[in-house]
Amino acid sequence: RADDPELRIAVFGEASSGKSTLLNAILRRRLLPSSALVTTTLTTVLRYHDGSESLRLRTADETELSWPSAAFGDWAGGAHTLSADSLEAALKQVLTTDLALLVRDLEVRSPVRLLGDGVAILDTPGFSVTDPGHRELAEAAVGLADLAVVVVPAVAPMSMTLTDFLTGPLRNHLDRCVFVITKIDLIDEDELCGTIEFVGDRLRAMGIADPLPI
């Protein structure tokens, strides 16, 4: 890693905590599928590319595919009815169907300047999901990340599952974490200050001496 100049930012959170919605806001487009019914089953890597946008993936049998291409269409066709005529549609087809079970690596290349040269963003699976492999993928991303963005939903701040992940896989990386409180529109306005204070108190209890609100 010391010889690799790329800055890797991993986004962690429980399922349906707002990770993909947050990344869509950063990208300023509804790129990643996000809803209460959609669960990220892969670690999706987003990288800046000065040119046309594309999607690249590697399957479990080591086949490498890219979108747009006829090979991708053949692989993703068959019983699937979605038309991958845009990057959003291609991602939805891969991430929300059983095709996800066949994919080992998934990379999105986008000309969005907010990503910046030499920056990779890792959208990880929700570590609260009981499906095999989800937590393992999130834990593996910890070892790849230079910076962690931890999503804390205001409707259930600092749950036992989140606390367990922070005091487990992320325990040695808390000094490189940014905590983002999401879903504040789902709580009363007069609850917001108390929620922020509660999250700060819980972080201090984990050893973060002075979490700085921004």
Side-chain angles (χ1 to χ4, degrees), residues 1 5-13 22-23 26 114-115 118-124 138 140-151 165-166 170 172-180 214:
R1 290 292 293 117
E6 185 174 63
L7 175 65
R8 299 176 188 169
I9 304 171
V11 182
F12 298 101
L22 173 64
L23 285 173
I26 292 173
L114 291 174
L115 291 176
V119 175
I121 298 178
L122 285 63
D123 182 21
T124 67
V142 171
L144 299 174
D146 303 302
L147 173 69
V149 177
V150 181
V151 173
F165 196 79
L166 292 174
L170 276 176
N172 295 323
H173 308 278
L174 294 178
D175 59 334
R176 291 186 278 134
C177 289
V178 175
F179 298 88
V180 180
I214 56 175

Side-chain angles (χ1 to χ4, degrees), residues 4 8 16 20 23 32 38 40 51 68 87 102 118 135 166 172 177 198:
D4 185 350
R8 299 176 188 169
S16 299
S20 295
L23 285 173
L32 300 168
V38 174
T40 301
L87 180 57
L102 307 176
R135 184 180 173 96
L166 292 174
N172 295 323
C177 289
F198 173 76

Side-chain angles (χ1 to χ4, degrees), residues 23-37:
L23 285 173
N24 283 340
I26 292 173
L27 296 172
R28 297 181 181 177
R29 64 187 289 193
R30 294 179 180 271
L31 177 61
L32 300 168
S34 60
S35 76
L37 301 178

Side-chain angles (χ1 to χ4, degrees), residues 61-76:
D61 63 1
E62 300 298 329
T63 300
E64 295 187 359
L65 296 167
S66 63
W67 175 93
S69 71
F72 178 89
D74 292 341
W75 173 79

Side-chain angles (χ1 to χ4, degrees), residues 12 18 23 36 48 51-52 54 63 75 77 85 88 91 101 103 118 130 193-194 205 211:
F12 298 101
L23 285 173
Y48 172 77
S52 59
S54 63
T63 300
W75 173 79
D85 56 356
E88 288 88 344
L91 270 175
L101 301 175
V103 178
T130 57
C193 289

Side-chain angles (χ1 to χ4, degrees), residues 70-165:
F72 178 89
D74 292 341
W75 173 79
H80 301 288
T81 58
L82 291 172
S83 176
D85 56 356
S86 67
L87 180 57
E88 288 88 344
L91 270 175
K92 185 175 182 180
Q93 192 163 12
V94 173
L95 292 174
T96 66
T97 70
D98 54 5
L99 290 176
L101 301 175
L102 307 176
V103 178
R104 177 174 296 175
D105 299 311
L106 180 62
E107 178 183 357
V108 177
R109 295 191 174 189
S110 173
V112 176
R113 291 288 178 184
L114 291 174
L115 291 176
D117 292 318
V119 175
I121 298 178
L122 285 63
D123 182 21
T124 67
F127 48 73
S128 59
V129 177
T130 57
D131 292 358
H134 281 225
R135 184 180 173 96
E136 288 79 2
L137 285 171
E139 291 182 359
V142 171
L144 299 174
D146 303 302
L147 173 69
V149 177
V150 181
V151 173
V152 183
V155 293
M158 304 305 293
S159 67
M160 291 182 62
T161 305
L162 175 57
T163 300
D164 176 68
F165 196 79

